Amino acid sequence: MKIFLLFVFLFVGISQAQISAAKYARLVAKGEKIALRLCDHEKLPKPKEGESPEAIARAVKASKACPPLDGRKMRALVTFLQAGGTVVHAANGKEIDVPKGAKCPVCGMFVAKYPKWAAEMVVNGKTHYFDGVKDMMKYYIFDGDFPYDRSKIQKMLVTDFYTLEAIPAKEAYYVIGSKLYGPMGNELIPFKTEKEAKDFIADHGGDRIVRFDQITGKMVMGLDGIEYND
């Protein structure tokens, strides 16, 4: 048992900052496949905020939700769980209700698997779902890649990190540069109040707090480690 946990710690306990956003996203996607194909996802543990990778690995083993997993599979599964890859609901019942088959129009991932990161945009009566604010802002900012009439945007919602409540995107406070990753790596993490955002930075770090109108293409692409000039 001790040898198993040491192996998992060495394999799982790699800082998210040490891998690229793209590699992290692939790891999350691999973990999702493991959860769906090999495990009873209803029995999988729901990690607590700030819980360490090795503690999550122990909880997975104790849950007996999966057959024995080697280090690589366990690392991917733990990363998926850390990214919010569990079925969660807002306490007030006002979360974004993502259809099971909805795919992010930017990256193609199934959004319903990551409810704590979900964002929504309604354009001319059609609803689009995103697995994070970063991808929603790409869809909003880059009109060359995603051509549509911005004047016909009827609604934009994001998910408050703490309450999971759906809140208007233009009213939220966003933390950039934190230690926590979303399904697609570095994210703009939304909060309903500035106090929540400041509390989050105190716990998890972050470069700064920005408002919707301050988010630029350079900022969004920088989250993926890509240099871009607006």
Side-chain angles (χ1 to χ4, degrees), residues 52-72:
S52 68
E54 59 270 23
I56 298 171
R58 285 195 296 266
V60 169
K61 187 172 178 64
S63 73
K64 299 183 179 180
C66 313
L69 301 175
D70 62 28
R72 292 178 183 274

Side-chain angles (χ1 to χ4, degrees), residues 31-192:
E32 177 184 341
K33 291 179 181 178
I34 292 168
L36 293 175
R37 296 177 182 177
L38 300 180
C39 306
D40 182 345
H41 56 86
E42 296 294 336
K43 293 182 180 180
L44 282 170
K46 297 175 176 59
K48 299 176 183 177
E49 185 182 337
E51 190 170 5
S52 68
E54 59 270 23
I56 298 171
R58 285 195 296 266
V60 169
K61 187 172 178 64
S63 73
K64 299 183 179 180
C66 313
L69 301 175
D70 62 28
R72 292 178 183 274
K73 287 187 175 67
M74 181 62 79
R75 181 191 181 199
L77 178 60
V78 167
T79 305
F80 167 68
L81 294 174
Q82 281 186 312
T86 55
V87 180
V88 294
H89 299 281
N92 55 20
K94 296 181 180 178
E95 71 272 24
I96 294 174
D97 186 12
V98 183
K100 186 176 181 180
K103 289 185 177 181
C104 173
V106 176
C107 71
M109 291 180 71
F110 286 102
V111 179
K113 300 297 180 183
Y114 311 97
K116 71 182 294 181
W117 300 97
E120 174 184 326
M121 181 191 295
V122 180
V123 183
N124 197 26
K126 183 176 181 180
T127 304
H128 304 276
Y129 299 95
F130 306 86
D131 51 12
V133 175
K134 179 175 65 177
D135 275 1
M136 184 183 74
M137 294 309 299
K138 290 178 183 178
Y139 195 79
Y140 177 73
I141 293 172
F142 299 118
D143 51 4
D145 295 315
F146 307 104
Y148 62 91
D149 189 346
R150 267 65 177 171
S151 70
K152 293 186 178 180
I153 296 175
Q154 298 164 286
K155 181 170 63 173
M156 295 178 71
L157 297 175
V158 296
T159 300
D160 179 275
F161 181 82
Y162 285 129
T163 68
L164 304 186
E165 177 184 357
I167 55 178
K170 293 186 177 182
E171 298 177 13
Y173 294 81
Y174 300 91
V175 170
I176 188 170
S178 81
K179 299 174 184 177
L180 294 186
Y181 279 12
M184 291 298 293
N186 287 311
E187 263 295 352
L188 288 151
I189 304 180
F191 300 88
K192 188 174 183 178

Side-chain angles (χ1 to χ4, degrees), residues 178-222:
S178 81
K179 299 174 184 177
L180 294 186
Y181 279 12
M184 291 298 293
N186 287 311
E187 263 295 352
L188 288 151
I189 304 180
F191 300 88
K192 188 174 183 178
T193 68
E194 187 176 15
K195 182 181 183 303
E196 284 182 335
K198 288 181 177 179
D199 289 344
F200 176 87
I201 288 177
D203 291 335
H204 303 290
D207 294 336
R208 61 192 184 279
I209 298 170
V210 297
R211 304 304 301 276
F212 183 88
D213 291 337
Q214 296 174 305
I215 300 172
T216 64
K218 182 176 182 178
M219 185 184 299
V220 169
M221 297 308 294

